[in-house]
Amino acid sequence: MKLNKCYSVICSWGKLELVGAGKDIESAYWELVVKDIQDTCKLLEPIYNETDGEDGHVSLAVSPKLANDTKGTIEAAKWLHNMVGSPCVYMKIPATDESISSMKEVISLGISVNATLIFCLPKYEAVIDAYLDGLESCGMTDLSKVSSAAAFYISRVDVTLDKKLEQIGTTEALDLKGKGAVAQAVLAYQLYQKKFSGPRWERLENRGAKKQRLMWASTNVKNPSYPDTFYVNSLIGPDTISTLPVQALQAFMDHGILSRTLDAKVSEAQDIYNAIEKLGIDWSSVGSELEHEVLDSFTKSFDNVLECMQKKAKLRDFSRAYEPCFQDN
């Protein structure tokens, strides 16, 4: 996992002064984060305005410790949204069962949401429904200022599936290695197209609503035997977003293929998805396993940052003010 490098300067003089002024560590942390997000919003607001809110968004994650706390997530999202005070900020909320419930409420309040940690189709459909329910419950006449993105994870899915396929060990199972994540993503795009069409969506669109954009996360290739542009090349289609780590971006710029691939082989994707399921691999269970694994990783990283801030504040270690307070994994 890569953490945003904005955390690398949290131990500078000005930051430690927050603690010296009587702020507790977590309050100081949020004050720093809000300031960083405000500064970034100012940089991207021209893009947000030029594209009528289609692009130029900045995500701010609620505490991962609130992932199973519906009410706590709602209150945190409201508070952070008000603190940042920018139309282009997204509240980043994990797609746990409890937090999906909070998404509907947050959306209904006119707050835009980045729904993250989506690893399987049932959870993705629940996220879409929360967005649609929230829009329908929103008291705003014009919904054009409310938007959302749904972050569907890719390479982590293959890592988990490939291990299970190797454990099965049959020729059929081994032939499916490296195919599951893209197949599921292709079907997710089909679900996106289905849910954002028809009478229900048209009624919301008439109120100015924007489609919740499907966003590919974890597009870096973790298995060195796969092409380094594998996931980026395979998931190109209209109305989608790809989050690209630097290494993946450089590889694609060098030798990637820019072609609409996302809906080119839908029936093949369905066959792969079904074949994996017939081998006894439950897609929802894979999603649940990954959700807990990644959420635990996020929580540990959050705690590590706070712990580092606490240590630096006690030591007043100004000589190493710009030393990162975390380790990249």
Side-chain angles (χ1 to χ4, degrees), residues 11 16 308-317 323:
C11 296
L16 284 170
C308 179
M309 289 180 67
Q310 183 70 66
K311 289 179 179 179
K312 292 287 185 178
K314 287 181 178 179
L315 293 173
R316 295 296 193 269
D317 188 2
E323 180 182 353

Side-chain angles (χ1 to χ4, degrees), residues 30 60-63 66 69-83 91 93 106 111:
W30 286 114
L60 171 54
V62 300
S63 169
L66 297 172
D69 182 349
T70 301
K71 184 177 179 181
T73 296
I74 294 169
E75 293 305 314
K78 289 164 57 178
W79 180 76
L80 288 169
H81 181 262
N82 289 333
M83 289 293 290
M91 290 297 102
I93 299 175
V106 171
I111 298 173

Side-chain angles (χ1 to χ4, degrees), residues 6 14 23 33 36 45 55 68 92 99 122 147-148 162 164 212 308 311 321:
C6 71
K23 297 276 186 181
V33 170
D36 282 342
E45 274 182 11
D55 294 312
N68 299 314
K92 190 173 183 179
S99 288
S147 64
S148 182
D162 286 359
K164 294 181 183 296
Q212 181 187 60
C308 179
K311 289 179 179 179

Side-chain angles (χ1 to χ4, degrees), residues 184-223:
Q184 183 178 227
V186 168
L187 298 182
Y189 188 62
Q190 295 300 301
L191 181 59
Y192 160 84
Q193 291 180 313
K194 176 183 176 181
K195 299 289 279 190
F196 291 100
S197 61
R200 183 186 186 188
W201 173 247
E202 288 169 3
R203 286 192 295 271
L204 289 169
E205 196 170 36
N206 288 335
R207 294 173 60 190
K210 291 183 171 68
K211 295 178 181 179
Q212 181 187 60
R213 294 172 74 182
L214 187 52
M215 179 164 64
W216 310 124
S218 184
T219 57
N220 55 315
V221 175
K222 299 184 186 299
N223 188 328

Side-chain angles (χ1 to χ4, degrees), residues 218-291:
S218 184
T219 57
N220 55 315
V221 175
K222 299 184 186 299
N223 188 328
S225 66
Y226 300 159
D228 57 2
T229 59
F230 176 51
Y231 296 119
V232 181
N233 282 348
S234 302
L235 300 173
I236 300 174
D239 302 324
T240 60
I241 304 166
S242 284
T243 60
L244 299 177
V246 173
Q247 186 176 2
L249 177 60
Q250 291 174 339
F252 185 78
M253 293 294 288
D254 180 64
H255 52 272
I257 300 173
L258 185 59
S259 176
R260 180 168 175 167
T261 53
L262 188 51
D263 50 6
K265 299 179 179 180
V266 176
S267 60
E268 180 180 319
Q270 186 68 65
D271 289 343
I272 292 169
Y273 187 91
N274 293 342
I276 290 173
E277 202 165 44
K278 286 179 181 178
L279 289 172
I281 297 174
D282 183 76
W283 284 92
S284 293
S285 296
V286 169
S288 180
E289 178 183 333
L290 283 165
E291 178 186 303

Side-chain angles (χ1 to χ4, degrees), residues 59-62 73 90-96 99-104 106-107 111-119 123-132 147-153 196 212-217 241 243 298:
S59 290
L60 171 54
V62 300
T73 296
Y90 270 164
M91 290 297 102
K92 190 173 183 179
I93 299 175
T96 62
S99 288
I100 287 176
S101 297
S102 72
M103 290 177 194
K104 173 186 173 181
V106 171
I107 290 291
I111 298 173
S112 297
V113 169
N114 172 356
T116 189
L117 299 188
I118 303 170
F119 299 98
K123 191 59 69 81
Y124 175 48
E125 185 166 17
V127 166
I128 296 175
D129 287 338
Y131 179 59
L132 296 176
S147 64
S148 182
F152 205 110
Y153 279 59
F196 291 100
Q212 181 187 60
R213 294 172 74 182
L214 187 52
M215 179 164 64
W216 310 124
I241 304 166
T243 60
F298 283 2

